[in-house]
Amino acid sequence: GVPIDTIKVIHRGADTERFNPKNVSAERVIALATNWRLPDGKSVIMLPGRLTRWKGQTVFIDAIAKLKREDIIALIVGSDQGRTDYRNELERMVSDRGLGEIVRFINHCNDMPAAYKLTDVVVSASIAPEAFGRVVVEAQAVGRPVVATKHGGSTETVLDGETGWLVPPKDPSALANMIENALNISSNERTLLAERAIKHIQDNFSKSRMCEQTLEVYDKVLSQISG
């Protein structure tokens, strides 16, 4: 029953300084790649997020299997937070699909800006809508191609076909096809996409913008009260 013109939407903000690719040194990226023992010459696909079913790790694993590529490494980055049964289920999926040399589990990462920077494609495969979806925003801020499910926050934070791509949720085939597309874009297309993505996040989803918009609302309310 609240009039729509009295509602102000303020999006969550990302730390665009921390997730600025210019502020992530090559040494940090190399250190992380060495620590994770990533082989040279392989494309890296990453799904960050705690291990919980609604984040879509099972869909991601099925999509990686459908790619039928041996020139990739797929990283599932995130703690199980005690969900050992689910982690065991995921590990069985990887084994059953013969992906033991391709899919790797990374329990925790203290340097996500470097993790994004070493990645060729970042995936958000959530099967339920994300309220905001921090992963796809941070990845775009670093200039990385993103593939996300088309519901929830990602429909507002990803410019489909310009800064990343959206696919139907719970659809491993669609996810696989779009990951393949993201891997196959030219270096020039990748550069242009990165420029668009970085500008998009800096202009619309920075922490400073979030704070400014919040203070503007406070000022407006206070002026109405005092007036």
Side-chain angles (χ1 to χ4, degrees), residues 36 38-39 42-46 71-75 115 118-122 183:
W36 290 352
L38 300 182
K42 293 197 174 186
S43 298
V44 179
I45 307 161
M46 179 172 64
D71 61 339
I72 59 173
I73 292 293
L75 303 176
L118 66 76
T119 303
D120 295 282
V121 183
V122 177
L183 288 173

Side-chain angles (χ1 to χ4, degrees), residues 10-183:
I10 301 173
H11 291 98
R12 181 176 176 174
D15 188 339
T16 50
E17 284 301 306
R18 181 175 180 230
F19 291 96
N20 185 329
K22 295 178 181 178
N23 297 335
V24 183
S25 67
E27 290 77 13
R28 285 166 58 188
V29 176
I30 292 169
L32 200 60
T34 301
N35 184 46
W36 290 352
R37 299 180 181 179
L38 300 182
D40 293 332
K42 293 197 174 186
S43 298
V44 179
I45 307 161
M46 179 172 64
L47 179 115
R50 64 189 181 278
L51 298 192
T52 183
R53 193 173 299 279
W54 75 272
K55 288 289 188 181
Q57 286 92 358
T58 57
V59 179
F60 180 67
I61 292 169
D62 278 338
I64 295 300
K66 289 178 180 296
L67 286 174
K68 300 184 184 302
R69 292 178 60 154
E70 296 182 357
D71 61 339
I72 59 173
I73 292 293
L75 303 176
I76 297 178
V77 180
S79 169
D80 61 28
Q81 299 177 326
R83 301 180 189 89
T84 53
D85 288 346
Y86 182 53
R87 182 188 177 96
N88 291 338
E89 177 187 338
L90 295 175
E91 290 175 343
R92 285 194 300 271
M93 283 186 67
V94 169
S95 177
D96 291 345
R97 287 155 180 74
L99 299 173
E101 297 299 317
I102 293 176
V103 177
R104 299 187 183 180
F105 293 89
I106 309 294
N107 285 327
H108 184 67
C109 177
N110 289 319
D111 192 352
M112 284 306 297
Y116 290 125
K117 196 168 182 179
L118 66 76
T119 303
D120 295 282
V121 183
V122 177
V123 174
S124 173
S126 300
I127 62 176
E130 298 261 11
F132 178 65
R134 186 175 62 186
V135 162
V136 294
V137 173
E138 292 174 348
Q140 288 177 91
V142 181
R144 288 299 173 261
V146 297
V147 178
T149 41
K150 192 175 183 178
H151 54 187
S154 61
T155 62
E156 299 179 54
T157 59
V158 179
L159 300 179
D160 194 13
E162 297 182 41
T163 66
W165 298 272
L166 299 174
V167 297
K170 304 180 186 179
D171 190 336
S173 295
L175 181 58
N177 290 338
M178 204 54 76
I179 291 173
E180 183 80 42
N181 175 72
L183 288 173

Side-chain angles (χ1 to χ4, degrees), residues 177-197:
N177 290 338
M178 204 54 76
I179 291 173
E180 183 80 42
N181 175 72
L183 288 173
N184 290 337
I185 62 175
S186 68
S187 58
N188 185 55
E189 289 173 318
R190 182 173 289 270
T191 298
L192 292 175
L193 183 145
E195 291 173 354
R196 288 194 299 265

